[in-house]
Coordinates of all heavy atoms in Angstrom, one line a residue:
A119 N -0.8 -29.4 -30.9 CA -1.8 -29.0 -30.0 C -1.6 -29.7 -28.6 O -1.0 -30.7 -28.6 CB -3.2 -29.3 -30.5
P120 N -2.1 -29.1 -27.5 CA -2.0 -29.8 -26.2 C -2.7 -31.1 -26.2 O -3.8 -31.2 -26.8 CB -2.6 -28.8 -25.2 CG -2.6 -27.5 -25.9 CD -2.8 -27.8 -27.4
A121 N -2.1 -32.1 -25.6 CA -2.8 -33.5 -25.6 C -2.1 -34.4 -24.6 O -0.9 -34.1 -24.2 CB -2.8 -34.1 -27.0
A122 N -2.8 -35.4 -24.2 CA -2.2 -36.5 -23.5 C -2.3 -37.8 -24.3 O -3.4 -38.1 -24.8 CB -3.0 -36.7 -22.1
V123 N -1.2 -38.4 -24.5 CA -1.2 -39.6 -25.3 C -1.1 -40.8 -24.4 O -0.2 -41.0 -23.6 CB 0.0 -39.6 -26.3 CG1 0.0 -40.9 -27.1 CG2 -0.1 -38.4 -27.2
A124 N -2.1 -41.7 -24.4 CA -2.2 -42.8 -23.5 C -1.8 -44.1 -24.2 O -2.3 -44.4 -25.4 CB -3.6 -43.0 -23.0
I125 N -1.0 -44.9 -23.6 CA -0.3 -46.1 -24.3 C -0.5 -47.3 -23.4 O -0.3 -47.3 -22.2 CB 1.2 -45.8 -24.5 CG1 1.4 -44.5 -25.4 CG2 1.9 -47.0 -25.0 CD1 2.7 -43.9 -25.2
T126 N -0.9 -48.4 -24.0 CA -0.9 -49.7 -23.4 C -0.4 -50.7 -24.4 O -0.7 -50.7 -25.6 CB -2.3 -50.1 -22.9 OG1 -2.7 -49.2 -21.9 CG2 -2.3 -51.5 -22.4
D127 N 0.5 -51.7 -23.9 CA 1.1 -52.7 -24.7 C 1.8 -52.1 -26.0 O 1.7 -52.7 -27.0 CB 0.0 -53.7 -25.1 CG -0.5 -54.5 -23.9 OD1 0.3 -54.7 -22.9 OD2 -1.6 -55.0 -24.0
G128 N 2.4 -51.0 -25.8 CA 3.2 -50.4 -26.9 C 2.3 -49.7 -28.0 O 2.9 -49.3 -29.0
V129 N 1.0 -49.6 -27.8 CA 0.2 -49.0 -28.8 C -0.6 -47.8 -28.2 O -1.0 -47.8 -27.0 CB -0.9 -50.0 -29.3 CG1 -1.9 -49.4 -30.3 CG2 -0.1 -51.2 -29.9
V130 N -0.7 -46.7 -29.0 CA -1.5 -45.6 -28.6 C -3.0 -46.0 -28.5 O -3.6 -46.4 -29.5 CB -1.3 -44.4 -29.6 CG1 -2.2 -43.2 -29.2 CG2 0.1 -43.9 -29.6
R131 N -3.5 -45.9 -27.3 CA -4.9 -46.3 -27.1 C -5.9 -45.1 -27.1 O -7.1 -45.3 -27.3 CB -5.0 -47.1 -25.8 CG -4.1 -48.3 -25.7 CD -4.5 -49.4 -26.8 NE -3.6 -50.5 -26.7 CZ -3.7 -51.6 -27.5 NH1 -4.6 -51.6 -28.5 NH2 -2.9 -52.6 -27.3
A132 N -5.4 -43.9 -26.7 CA -6.3 -42.8 -26.7 C -5.4 -41.5 -26.8 O -4.2 -41.5 -26.4 CB -7.1 -42.8 -25.4
I133 N -6.0 -40.5 -27.3 CA -5.4 -39.1 -27.3 C -6.5 -38.2 -26.7 O -7.5 -38.0 -27.3 CB -5.1 -38.7 -28.7 CG1 -4.0 -39.6 -29.4 CG2 -4.5 -37.3 -28.7 CD1 -3.7 -39.3 -30.8
E134 N -6.1 -37.7 -25.5 CA -7.1 -37.0 -24.7 C -6.6 -35.5 -24.5 O -5.5 -35.2 -24.8 CB -7.3 -37.7 -23.4 CG -7.8 -39.1 -23.5 CD -9.2 -39.2 -23.9 OE1 -9.9 -38.2 -23.9 OE2 -9.7 -40.4 -24.2
P135 N -7.5 -34.7 -23.9 CA -7.0 -33.3 -23.5 C -5.8 -33.5 -22.6 O -5.7 -34.4 -21.8 CB -8.2 -32.8 -22.8 CG -9.4 -33.4 -23.4 CD -9.0 -34.8 -23.7
W136 N -4.9 -32.5 -22.7 CA -3.6 -32.7 -22.0 C -3.7 -32.8 -20.5 O -2.9 -33.4 -19.9 CB -2.6 -31.6 -22.4 CG -2.8 -30.3 -21.7 CD1 -3.7 -29.3 -21.9 CD2 -2.0 -29.9 -20.6 NE1 -3.5 -28.3 -21.0 CE2 -2.5 -28.7 -20.1 CE3 -0.9 -30.5 -19.9 CZ2 -1.9 -28.0 -19.1 CZ3 -0.4 -29.8 -18.8 CH2 -0.9 -28.6 -18.4
D137 N -4.8 -32.3 -19.9 CA -5.0 -32.3 -18.5 C -6.0 -33.3 -18.0 O -6.5 -33.3 -16.9 CB -5.3 -30.9 -17.9 CG -6.6 -30.3 -18.6 OD1 -7.1 -30.9 -19.5 OD2 -7.0 -29.3 -18.1
A138 N -6.4 -34.3 -18.9 CA -7.4 -35.2 -18.6 C -6.9 -36.1 -17.5 O -5.7 -36.5 -17.4 CB -7.7 -36.1 -19.8
A139 N -7.9 -36.5 -16.6 CA -7.6 -37.4 -15.5 C -7.6 -38.9 -16.1 O -8.6 -39.4 -16.5 CB -8.6 -37.3 -14.4
L140 N -6.4 -39.5 -16.1 CA -6.3 -40.8 -16.7 C -5.6 -41.8 -15.7 O -4.6 -41.4 -15.1 CB -5.5 -40.7 -18.0 CG -6.1 -39.8 -19.1 CD1 -5.0 -39.7 -20.2 CD2 -7.4 -40.4 -19.6
E141 N -6.1 -43.0 -15.6 CA -5.4 -43.9 -14.7 C -4.3 -44.6 -15.5 O -4.5 -45.1 -16.6 CB -6.4 -45.0 -14.3 CG -7.5 -44.5 -13.3 CD -8.3 -45.7 -12.8 OE1 -7.8 -46.5 -12.1 OE2 -9.5 -45.8 -13.2
T142 N -3.1 -44.5 -14.9 CA -1.9 -45.0 -15.6 C -0.8 -45.4 -14.6 O -0.8 -44.9 -13.5 CB -1.4 -43.9 -16.6 OG1 -0.2 -44.4 -17.3 CG2 -1.0 -42.6 -15.8
V143 N 0.0 -46.3 -15.1 CA 1.1 -46.7 -14.2 C 2.2 -45.6 -14.2 O 2.7 -45.3 -13.1 CB 1.8 -48.0 -14.8 CG1 3.0 -48.4 -14.0 CG2 0.7 -49.2 -14.8
V144 N 2.5 -45.0 -15.3 CA 3.5 -43.9 -15.4 C 2.8 -42.7 -16.1 O 2.2 -42.9 -17.1 CB 4.7 -44.4 -16.1 CG1 5.7 -43.2 -16.3 CG2 5.4 -45.6 -15.4
D145 N 3.0 -41.6 -15.5 CA 2.4 -40.3 -16.1 C 3.6 -39.3 -16.3 O 4.2 -38.9 -15.3 CB 1.4 -39.8 -15.2 CG 0.4 -38.8 -15.9 OD1 0.9 -38.0 -16.7 OD2 -0.8 -38.9 -15.6
I146 N 3.9 -39.0 -17.5 CA 5.0 -38.1 -17.8 C 4.4 -36.8 -18.4 O 3.6 -36.8 -19.3 CB 5.9 -38.7 -18.8 CG1 6.6 -39.9 -18.2 CG2 7.0 -37.7 -19.3 CD1 7.5 -40.7 -19.2
T147 N 4.9 -35.7 -17.9 CA 4.5 -34.4 -18.5 C 5.8 -33.8 -19.1 O 6.8 -33.6 -18.3 CB 3.9 -33.4 -17.5 OG1 2.7 -34.0 -17.0 CG2 3.6 -32.1 -18.2
L148 N 5.9 -33.5 -20.4 CA 7.1 -33.0 -20.9 C 7.3 -31.6 -20.5 O 6.4 -30.8 -20.4 CB 7.1 -33.1 -22.5 CG 6.9 -34.4 -23.1 CD1 7.1 -34.3 -24.6 CD2 8.0 -35.4 -22.6
P149 N 8.5 -31.2 -20.3 CA 8.8 -29.8 -19.9 C 8.4 -28.8 -21.0 O 8.4 -29.2 -22.1 CB 10.3 -29.8 -19.6 CG 10.7 -31.2 -19.5 CD 9.8 -32.0 -20.3
A150 N 8.2 -27.6 -20.6 CA 8.0 -26.5 -21.6 C 9.2 -26.5 -22.5 O 10.4 -26.6 -22.1 CB 7.9 -25.2 -20.9

Side-chain angles (χ1 to χ4, degrees):
V123 178
I125 299 157
T126 296
D127 294 333
V129 175
V130 176
R131 303 297 181 183
I133 301 175
E134 301 289 349
W136 83 278
D137 56 352
L140 301 170
E141 291 188 66
T142 180
V143 176
V144 176
D145 199 318
I146 294 172
T147 299
L148 298 187

